[in-house]
Amino acid sequence: KGAEEAAAELGDVEIIYTGPTSTTAEGQIEVINALIAQGVNAIAISANDPDAVAPALQRAMDRGITVISWDSGVAKEGRQLHLNPSSSALIGNTIIKLAADHIDGTGDVAILSATSTSTNQNIWIEEAKKVLPNYPNVNLVATVYGDDLADKSYREAQGLMATYPNLKAIIAPTTVGILAASQAVTDAGKIGEINVTGLGLPSEMAGAVESGATISFAIWNPIDLGYAATMLSYNLIKGAEAAPGASIPMGRIGAATLDENNEAAMSDPFTYDKSNIEAFKSIF
Amino acid sequence: MSLLKSREALLALAILLLIGVVAARFPAFVRPANLANVLNDTSPLIILAIGQMIVILTKCIDLSVAANLALCGMVAALMNGAGVPLPLILMGVVALGAGLGAVNGVLVWKLGIPSIVVTLGTMTIFRGTIFLITDGKWVNAHQMSDGFKALPRTVLLGLPVMSWMAIALIILFTVVLTRTALGRSFYAVGGNPHAAVYAGINVGRTQFSAFVISGALAGLAGYLWVARYAVAYVDIAGGFELDVVAACVIGGVAIAGGAGTVAGAVLGALFLGVIKNALPVVGISPFWQMAISGAAIVLAVTFNATQARAPGRIILKSAEAR
Amino acid sequence: MNPVLSLRGISKSFPGVKALSEVQLDLYAGQVTALIGENGAGKSTIVKVLTGVYQPDAGNITIDGAEVHFPTAQAASKAGVTAIHQETVLFDELTVAENIWLGHAPRTRFGLIDRRAMRDGALRLLEGIGATLNPDLRLRDLGIASKHLVAIARALSIDARVVIMDEPTAALSYKEIHELYELVEKLKAQGKAILFISHKFDEIFRIADRYTVFRDGQFVGQGDMGDVSENDLVQMMVGRSVDQIFPARHRNIGAPVLTVAGYSHPTEFADIGFTLHRGEILGFYGLVGAGRSEVMQSLFGITKPSKGATRIDDQVRVIRSTSEAIAAGIVYVPEDRGKQGAVKGLPIFQNVTLPSLSRTSRAGFLRLAEEFKLARDYTGRLDLRAASLDQDVGLLSGGNQQKVVIAKWLATQPRVIILDEPTKGIDIGSKAAVHEFMAELAAQGLAVIMVSSEIPEILGMSDRVIVMREGRIVDEVAGDRMTPETLVRAAAGLAVAA
Amino acid sequence: MTPHHRIIPDRLQSPATRALRSWEAILVAVAIAVFVTNSFASPYFLNVWNLSDATFNFTEKALIAFAMAMLIIAGDIDLSVASIIALSSTAMGVAMAAGADTPVLVLIGIGTGLLCGAINGALVAGLGLPSIVVTIGTMSLFRGVAYIILGDKAFTGYPASFKFFGQGYVWWVISFELALFAAMAVVYYVLLHRTSFGRAVFAIGNNATAAQFSGIRVARVRFILFLLTGVMSGIAAVCLTSRLGSTRPSIATGWELEIVTMVVLGGVSILGGAGSVAGVFLAALIMGMVTFGFGLLNVPGIVMSIFLGVLLIVVIALPRLLRRG
Ligand SMILES: Nc1ncnc2c1ncn2[C@@H]1O[C@H](COP(=O)(O)OP(=O)(O)OP(=O)(O)O)[C@@H](O)[C@H]1O
Ligand SMILES: Nc1ncnc2c1ncn2[C@@H]1O[C@H](COP(=O)(O)OP(=O)(O)OP(=O)(O)O)[C@@H](O)[C@H]1O
Ligand SMILES: [Mg+2]
Ligand SMILES: [Mg+2]
């Protein structure tokens, strides 16, 4: 949606939105090859696997195509720049803070992630662990993976509750995970005992917030993300240089400043709870 | 003979042993509430395994069950979104599942295409259809009515309705398979299709019925799945068909057809269910789960085969007895 | 008297074969009608038409003058036609009782299968045919004869007016055969119309009242048994009179080729020992199930013996696989042609060269020209009838399939050829050809073992006969002692007559 | 003895007539149709570099499909091939982490495939277990071991010389993978249709008992066939790992079914006993072109898979429908 908004604003841009048969790296490579063959000007990708798609993207760049990654990143050699939805550190900090706030800073928490291969998740978890010492009484007991499958995430959440009777919060930095975990907590009748938090879309989380399984959660604006990725690609095609320290404009959002890894962050995550979810759930 | 009969008993023993080992380290695992939870969690697998077992009995295989489940689940969610009352939704998904099973069945029956080819094709078609009708969009918890989500988890006499449904189906199909003409004809058709013709049994039509049953069960499981996890999208239950086949194999259902019991399939499903649920509890990395269930399948099939090996002809016996 | 059941103008074709061509058949209440014809004459096909297994291409079936149609086997049994089929068509995984009642099981009030009634009924039926079998046993745990008894009980479980028996005595022992005869008498007394198919003339003359003869799928004639002689029937069957069936042998027995000593298997046979010479035909006689096939298959490397030795030309040879047997010059023409002999789906020439590939190929690479040459040579010698050498073996008639199998073995240039029931399921014409060919092979110096359950064949062809019973050799017969009585007594375990 | 023998002709149809009426002829027609349709549908299709890129979509799968075809013709099946890729790739990753060089990596990749094939072969041919069940088991087992070793990690940083197998070109637009695919097509054509081993495969697929009674070492042939699928999976693992430049335990997920689809589409009877390498070769090309053509039209992958599912069923059903008139 955001990409279309950007395209409309720019006028001379056509967006091809496509995806592979299955959520595998091999499938994504097939799509990349098809895009290269069509001679597109730019590819903006959210990678299923940061390393596996890199060689294919390198070939795209060899053929003069602008390549950026967004959301879930690609290894450095496989793209010109990477747009994080938000500063990883900030996300890491936010998810821990959201968990800690509602348990008065004391108790066991566990992380329910997506697949073990998703770069973004892993970075956020890293960052979250870094800030843990700031919460001396918060005890991170486990990190499990639900593979972004509803049933597996649900079962993993159940497993967490069974294994750690004193669990106070589950952090799921993924939409599928946070939904499944809220459901598991609701079904186990532990609303109020265990708080589920993490990253999710307001439209999907409305129910969980209402039931109280989730008190608050965070997310950036995904529409802005698509918009920004399109803007960045456009500007790179038009001659902007992706180099450490460079600043590339992103239309109405401002400009992205690249760090030493050619990564940039879009905006801060925004926290949703009972007070504002109604307003946002119809937007994204 | 007695060993053969107790194949199910041995499997039950293995499951108890497994539970015992887990309980030794984590007593919480054997709390009735948790065990009920494991049963409930395994219910969809049990339901599908019963259907798959019947299909395998007739010398076929249904690789499309998981895709069927996903499609029916999605349709259930969409019907709910359109305000269709729950009883109608239930009938609708069961009918839809049976219909999809009938598509498989007709291709096997009328065109004689091997079932593995048919269901390999329909599994991608069914899943693709979900994409076509939803454009890849999800249906989330908040888009589902409370009544829709509540049914499987409503607790009756200490167990959620989903578990009760599985139990009812276990009983129903045990009776169907052991005490009805159709049930026995599944065994006959798989055991000796040639001879079945002589007994007046239409092999193709019996296989067709098996696919319809498997499909209807997948349809029901589709609703249960979506209502329970409160989400529906293209990829739900992806790859689940292999778990279902695995449950049957572990449960001693002969892949060549003609031999197997509901109890076996259910125990096979429970075995996998216990492992799935126990691993996170025991704290073994979930990465071990796949290898463990793989090893279990290989062991089970080795074990079953050595049990079932033909005893060989005994010509000399009478001479020796004298 | 009007026939209970009559067939008129029945035709049935299979791809490439016209199995039945406008045949007729009448069955009368309280009478046994024998259906006679060479192998492949269409006898079993008419049975399958009568029981709804096959649909005829043309013609009609009437019962008591009313035309009937049998779209399924169930329809036929509802109309009162039941059959003991030539092949045992039963279910290994089901119990005896379930096998008997499958498709028409007694029901309880709730429409469920009544297992108690089923069990009791099974016991009653089995008792009626003199069989003592536990109805709860799974069929897989039974021997072949018991299975056949179950098949008979199953046929009788249907309350029928017409009972068909397609070679019912083939798998039964002497005692069981006599019980079957009694059963036929009983059924006759109950006024049932019986169709009895058999190749054994003594049997036919003993129990049949009427006969019908088919030849090559065509009706040849019918009448009262009292009006015909054995020779008349044979003439009708083959269209010519057959007087001298066995070829005159020119006996020329040479040095020992194969010596077997102390050959044993844990369950199948024990202490088998014999010597086989060049140019000799050694017969193996025994009742069906005596373990002859098992011994031969073990000599051919299919199963491993637990004890014993084989020597070929005074060299001890351990044969652990069929390829080793072939290398040692021992080949085996199996009894079960369809399962063990011909590879249906492969063309004739590939069947012939299968064990000789090392000779027709170079360094593992096939040479088609060589293959065709080899196949042409050997199928020509056997007078094979086929459209072309790249035709699928499965499309040939049984006798021609047997010729392909024999050609396959001759192409390996063996020293010992074992023929297991070589003429079973082959018509009289082909039978004579096989016999002549065996004699020729022996004359050329090959050592031949022939397993056969047919006494005339054994006596007519063999130089010496070994009799087996329950997995052991019980007698060796040669010269003057080669009489039917000696063989039968030895095979049945009776005291050896002086 | 017999006065005159009837001469039985070797053949009734000349090999050429036979070829024209064969399944492969239909596939050639389909392949041409797909090619022409694609050329009209997308302006980007007729471009050698694009076509060359597109071959990467199927070459690795096709390598395995050749061996799988032989296995299926012999009446078995191997559903663990994709998992063997994952395990082989993981083994190479472990070796690389231990400092192994490219030749050693290749050997380890292929060796792991061989080992996995031997395990399947021992269970199926040695113990006589049904192959479909055994390989559903080892499918979980092999990938499971890869997960145990790697967990959520990945191996990256393969040596530059290792890149050749999945990214290198032999000559002009002919990539190494494409050349290997063509070479293997020839090798498997000869192996299946021109050697006594291939003949044994057909004999076993049509009637294993009669094959054994004809002196064929059935268990040994079946074991070798499992070794072959194992080795081909190992080779595919080398190519894929090189192409991805990294290893994850999840690579090649779902390939087993695509490979079986390719084999069946190629006219190999899933019941065994019939099939040809040419058919599989053509099916690989068709599937590759369909995937690529849809890709150029930006059709979502899942729609593509519906098409392949329909194609599979229609292609198998059509001759049966026509036969019954
Ligand atoms: N299903 C079939 N498909 C093709 N041909 C068949 C089939 N069944 C029978 N035939 C052919 O039809 C002919 C008649 O076979 P049938 O079995 O009726 O002979 P039969 O008289 O019973 O012989 P036998 O004495 O050996 O039992 C044979 O040539 C046989 O090969
Ligand atoms: N219990 C059984 N189950 C299945 N098949 C059997 C059984 N018993 C015998 N057979 C098969 O029946 C056929 C004939 O019987 P069998 O081989 O026992 O006789 P034999 O003593 O070996 O020799 P022959 O039949 O040559 O007299 C064989 O093909 C055999 O494999
Ligand atoms: Mg017959
Ligand atoms: Mg025998």
Side-chain angles (χ1 to χ4, degrees), chain A residues 164-181:
Chain A
Y164 307 101
N166 300 323
L167 197 67
K168 285 284 179 319
I170 297 176
I171 304 172
T174 153
T175 309
V176 180
I178 192 171
L179 271 173

Side-chain angles (χ1 to χ4, degrees), chain A residues 21-23 116 143-145 148-152 154-156 158-160 162-164 175-176 179-180 183 187 202-208 281, chain B residues 26 28 34 37 40-41 138 140-143 149 153 225 227-231 233 235-238 240 273 276-277 280-283 286-287 289:
Chain A
T21 317
S22 49
T23 51
S116 51
T143 301
V144 296
Y145 298 91
D148 262 353
L149 296 173
D151 60 315
K152 183 139 190 274
Y154 184 93
R155 194 155 36 232
E156 292 295 344
Q158 279 184 330
L160 287 175
T163 322
Y164 307 101
T175 309
V176 180
L179 271 173
Q183 199 63 54
D187 291 352
S203 57
E204 295 172 357
M205 290 302 294
K281 79 176 186 190
Chain B
F26 293 88
N34 189 59
N37 195 18
N40 196 43
D41 194 52
W138 293 35
N140 286 303
H142 64 95
Q143 289 156 291
K149 286 182 286 186
R153 53 190 107 238
W225 186 292
R228 173 146 201 256
Y229 298 119
V231 60
Y233 54 94
D235 282 328
I236 57 171
F240 201 57
K276 275 205 172 124
N277 283 278
V281 177
V282 186
F287 298 122
Q289 181 183 313

Side-chain angles (χ1 to χ4, degrees), chain A residues 71 85-88 90-96 98-99 111-114 120-125 148 170-182 196-202 204-205 214 216-221 268-272 284:
Chain A
D71 196 5
S86 175
S87 139
S88 301
L90 213 51
I91 294 177
N93 192 4
T94 306
I95 53 181
I96 286 292
L98 286 176
I111 293 178
L112 171 65
S113 182
N120 47 1
Q121 308 272 334
N122 290 340
I123 292 173
W124 299 329
I125 294 169
D148 262 353
I170 297 176
I171 304 172
T174 153
T175 309
V176 180
I178 192 171
L179 271 173
S182 325
V196 178
T197 183
L199 305 174
L201 290 175
E204 295 172 357
M205 290 302 294
T214 297
S216 60
F217 65 96
I219 197 68
W220 49 85
N221 184 331
D268 291 351
F270 189 80
T271 303
Y272 299 86
F284 57 84

